[in-house]
Amino acid sequence: MKVTRILNAKRPNQGKVAALREQARRLGQVRSEVWQRFGSVGGVGLSDRQIRDGWLKEGRAFPVSANAWKETLRDAKGDITASMEAAKVKARRCILRHAQDKAEQKHLFTALKRNDWTDDAYLRRIMRQHWHHGHNHTHNQIIVRSDNYTTFQLGGRAWIKIPGLVKGQRIAIPLDTTVAPTGTLRIILTDEDRIEVHYTIEVEAKQDSGERTIGVDKGYSEVLVDSDGEHHGQELGRILTEQSDKLKAKYQRRAKLRALANNTRNPRKREHIRRFNLGRNKLNRQMDKMHARIRDLVFQSVNKVVDKAAVIAAEDLTAPMAGKSFGKNVNRRLASWTKGVIAEALDRVSIRRGSAVVLINPAYTSQSDSRTGCLDGQRKGDRFYCSDGVVLQADQNAARNVLAILQARTERLRLGLLNQDSSCSPARVLSTESEVPKNQREQLCLGF
């Protein structure tokens, strides 16, 4: 499998940073033109090579090296294709609901896959609903091909030399490691004059996961709770709460200073406040440390789950918490919650260690009794009160419900009671109980 490695420049020279920023700005203009001209129906069916050959035939010239704008074109076209493929996933779901005939479904799926959907009125309509014309907001990146840079060792660290704006001149960048990067590089310039070097490497997938099938529930006070009742990453809630409350107080004080700077008539005082009190360098460094700490905690927790599970039933972490409000402070803390990091960790660790993650629709998993599967209890905080007076741990109860849905659906697939469509495998079937009307929720038993 491929993973991304990130290297940082070691105290880069300000002149080099300025030169790289100017090059990234010019390449951002190329990226913007690609998105503007080919980020919608006009770019369907066109490859980056066809666009490149067309520009060369027209005699187009850009204020950067030829290799630089060609790689930027390739990268931007790849992003456009990725956004279109993401829209196709939603379009396939619409096709399944729209077409009941298997032959018609196959015809529409084939047209969608071959990019012939532009000639079909129905497919054009649903693709317009889910694929919107994109715009470029990236003006801080430089793509360098593997044969267009060199590496060397100097002063106990690795260096890279990449082309600059002046022909024949190269910019040497010291890295904070002795390991030289390989393959295509993505140079990213952050706001605080930091330079990041991203590259991908191949990592061998291992087969050292457990042998059981368990369910997990994501939480705020901890990373995951499994169906065995084990809590993983219990300090997550404390870290997020402390950081969120600290940022709230900091931003309130900064808002007062910003208002003072805007209202003062003394230009010297205004510039002094903005320079020494409203900067973001220190704040960004603190945020990076906090994010790294959370990622480390999340990946450690997911690895502990994979240690004992070959199949992990998890909630679909992309499902939004629509229509729910928990108060100003709780909403602020949940807004900083890292469910995207948890989803990424589940995906990467499971692939690397040979386990499988099954996504389950989280509808009603926190509202039903895991012993009976029926909606006859009530959750209050970390406790779930059953109708017969029994009190369960709420997250463990939800994890057991997730596992029960997977087991029930697997059994129905085995018995042939559940139709399997062409776009889903048994391990990726999602529950559809969220579509049950509210007046029937009392009679609903999850997974059965």
Side-chain angles (χ1 to χ4, degrees), residues 139-155:
H139 299 273
N140 65 337
Q141 296 186 14
I142 303 172
I143 310 298
V144 186
R145 205 170 56 201
S146 59
D147 61 346
N148 208 26
Y149 69 91
T150 57
T151 63
F152 61 95
Q153 299 287 330
L154 180 64

Side-chain angles (χ1 to χ4, degrees), residues 29 41-42 55 71 119 163 169 177 204 213 230 236 330 337 362 365 367 371 386 420:
Q29 296 175 349
V41 180
W55 282 357
E71 287 302 306
D119 299 327
Q169 292 186 3
T177 180
E204 182 180 358
T213 299
E230 186 176 355
L236 176 66
V330 177
W337 190 50
T365 54
Q367 306 171 35
R371 302 171 303 163
C386 305
Q420 180 181 344

Side-chain angles (χ1 to χ4, degrees), residues 16-274:
K16 295 179 180 179
V17 173
L20 291 173
R21 285 198 180 279
E22 177 61 22
Q23 184 175 356
R25 185 190 67 82
R26 297 183 185 183
L27 291 174
Q29 296 175 349
V30 178
R31 194 182 296 268
S32 296
E33 182 174 351
V34 175
W35 273 98
Q36 182 64 31
R37 294 182 56 182
F38 309 104
S40 59
V41 180
V44 176
L46 289 177
S47 66
D48 61 284
R49 191 176 185 87
Q50 291 174 320
I51 299 174
R52 186 201 70 176
D53 293 342
W55 282 357
L56 291 175
K57 187 176 180 180
E58 295 173 3
R60 292 292 305 274
F62 298 96
V64 290
S65 65
N67 286 330
W69 71 258
K70 289 176 183 178
E71 287 302 306
T72 300
L73 165 63
R74 181 188 58 80
D75 186 65
K77 191 61 174 66
D79 292 340
I80 293 172
T81 302
S83 67
M84 182 179 66
E85 293 300 325
K88 285 183 180 180
V89 174
K90 300 179 181 179
R92 291 188 185 98
R93 298 174 185 172
C94 295
I95 292 173
L96 289 174
R97 293 192 296 264
H98 169 78
Q100 303 299 324
D101 183 63
K102 293 294 183 181
E104 184 181 1
Q105 288 182 2
K106 182 178 180 180
H107 168 72
L108 293 175
F109 283 142
T110 302
L112 196 64
K113 181 178 180 180
R114 296 179 177 177
N115 286 331
D116 295 335
W117 56 268
T118 55
D119 299 327
D120 186 281
Y122 169 72
L123 292 178
R124 283 202 312 271
R125 184 169 69 252
I126 62 174
M127 283 297 290
R128 281 199 304 268
Q129 294 174 359
H130 301 293
W131 187 37
H132 305 286
H133 194 299
H135 299 279
N136 174 54
H137 300 281
T138 301
H139 299 273
N140 65 337
Q141 296 186 14
I142 303 172
I143 310 298
V144 186
R145 205 170 56 201
S146 59
D147 61 346
N148 208 26
Y149 69 91
T150 57
T151 63
F152 61 95
Q153 299 287 330
L154 180 64
R157 62 173 57 95
W159 292 62
I160 60 173
K161 272 189 176 182
I162 66 173
L165 290 176
V166 181
K167 186 176 181 179
Q169 292 186 3
R170 289 179 170 261
I171 301 175
I173 303 174
L175 304 177
D176 60 353
T177 180
T178 58
V179 180
T182 58
T184 300
L185 305 182
R186 183 184 300 271
I187 311 295
I188 300 179
L189 296 99
T190 62
D191 294 335
E192 57 274 14
D193 289 341
R194 287 175 48 194
I195 302 176
E196 295 180 354
V197 180
H198 296 229
Y199 67 102
T200 59
I201 61 173
E202 288 283 349
V203 177
E204 182 180 358
K206 302 179 180 178
Q207 298 291 333
D208 61 347
S209 63
E211 299 179 354
R212 300 175 51 200
T213 299
I214 64 174
V216 295
D217 177 69
K218 55 182 172 60
Y220 175 81
S221 56
E222 62 279 314
V223 178
L224 294 171
V225 178
D226 60 37
S227 51
D228 295 337
E230 186 176 355
H231 295 242
H232 305 275
Q234 296 183 357
E235 58 268 38
L236 176 66
R238 177 181 56 82
I239 295 174
L240 293 179
T241 299
E242 291 178 356
Q243 181 67 18
S244 177
D245 294 346
K246 181 179 178 181
L247 287 177
K248 175 187 176 182
K250 180 182 289 290
Y251 285 134
Q252 286 176 340
R253 294 192 296 266
R254 288 169 67 97
K256 294 181 180 179
L257 289 172
R258 185 177 293 107
L260 178 62
N262 292 335
N263 294 330
T264 184
R265 296 183 179 180
N266 187 339
R268 185 176 179 181
K269 182 178 181 180
R270 182 188 306 115
E271 180 61 27
H272 187 277
I273 293 175
R274 290 177 177 174

Side-chain angles (χ1 to χ4, degrees), residues 397-431:
N397 178 70
R400 289 177 175 175
N401 284 328
V402 170
L403 178 61
I405 293 175
L406 172 63
Q407 293 173 339
R409 286 183 162 268
T410 303
E411 182 65 16
R412 292 172 67 185
L413 280 171
R414 187 182 67 84
L415 298 175
L417 300 178
L418 187 66
N419 292 329
Q420 180 181 344
D421 59 73
S422 59
S423 65
C424 299
S425 63
R428 291 292 176 179
V429 177
L430 303 181
S431 62

